[in-house]
Each structure stands twice: as structure tokens, then as C-alpha cells.
Amino acid sequence: MNSRISALAYDPVQSLLAVGTSDTQYGSGQIYVFGQRRVSVVFSFPRKASAKFLQFCADKLVSVDSKNDVCVFSLETKKMLTTYAPPNHVTALLTDPSLDYAFIGLQNGGY
């Protein structure tokens, strides 16, 4: 890993661990996903940032970075699917593996 760990997520059903790193002088923030049988993949943020929140959601990984961008990565294709810039600072992220929704709490009380 290129930097300090700033976020973690674990999916016990798929036996996956996601580790997000900080943006430092040694490298930009990235997300490392580790699994059984030496499965590993590295995701990069669209711009230089640190990982803030990580959540697994079925075959996807949802992240929020220090620039408050929400990114959705496909664990199947190992590519970024989409990004979203909420209108305020993100303070919470929650997903449910059985739903394709991400609940995002904002600093102003919105969602």
C-alpha cells in the first residue's frame, strides 16, 4: 500500500476486505480490495483525494472521498461505474447488500 489507511470495509458473505488510503506525499489515495485465493484489485479516485467512507453493496463498492465525491466501483468488471458530487459535506454512508441504494447523510442534515 502506498499510504496510511483511512477507511475499511468488510463483506463477510463474499469474504472481501476493502482498505482505503490517504492522499500523502507518498501517493494519492486508493482503494485496495482483498479476497480469497489471492483476489486483489486497486481502485483509484477520479481526482487526488483520501478515502473517507467505504461500503460494500452486493457486487459494488461505494466510497466517499475527502473531496466529498461518491464513487461506485464494480467488483465484477473492476472499473468505476459512476461518481456523484453531493451538494454538501458527507458525514455518513450506509448501504444494504440486498438493495441497490446508498444512503448518504450530509452535514446540513439533508440526505
Side-chain angles (χ1 to χ4, degrees):
M1 286 190 226
N2 66 348
S3 189
R4 289 187 330 238
I5 295 172
S6 58
L8 292 170
Y10 179 66
D11 183 347
V13 175
Q14 300 179 79
S15 296
L16 295 174
L17 174 69
V19 179
T21 62
S22 296
D23 180 33
T24 64
Q25 64 189 19
Y26 303 109
S28 58
Q30 294 180 318
I31 301 170
Y32 298 84
V33 180
F34 304 103
Q36 293 181 354
R37 297 187 194 112
R38 299 186 187 261
V39 170
S40 69
V41 66
V42 179
F43 294 117
S44 296
F45 295 111
R47 53 188 182 149
K48 218 173 163 175
S50 300
K52 192 170 160 184
F53 299 109
L54 297 173
Q55 289 279 316
F56 285 102
C57 185
D59 64 339
K60 297 171 188 67
L61 178 66
V62 182
S63 73
V64 177
D65 63 27
S66 58
K67 306 279 189 200
N68 288 297
D69 288 335
V70 178
C71 300
V72 179
F73 299 96
S74 170
L75 298 171
E76 230 175 273
T77 63
K78 300 179 175 119
K79 294 182 180 178
M80 182 185 304
L81 296 176
T82 191
T83 62
Y84 169 67
N88 208 314
H89 293 286
V90 177
T91 57
L93 172 67
L94 178 68
T95 61
D96 185 310
S98 63
L99 302 173
D100 279 343
Y101 294 100
F103 299 96
I104 303 164
L106 303 178
Q107 186 178 24
N108 66 356
Y111 52 89

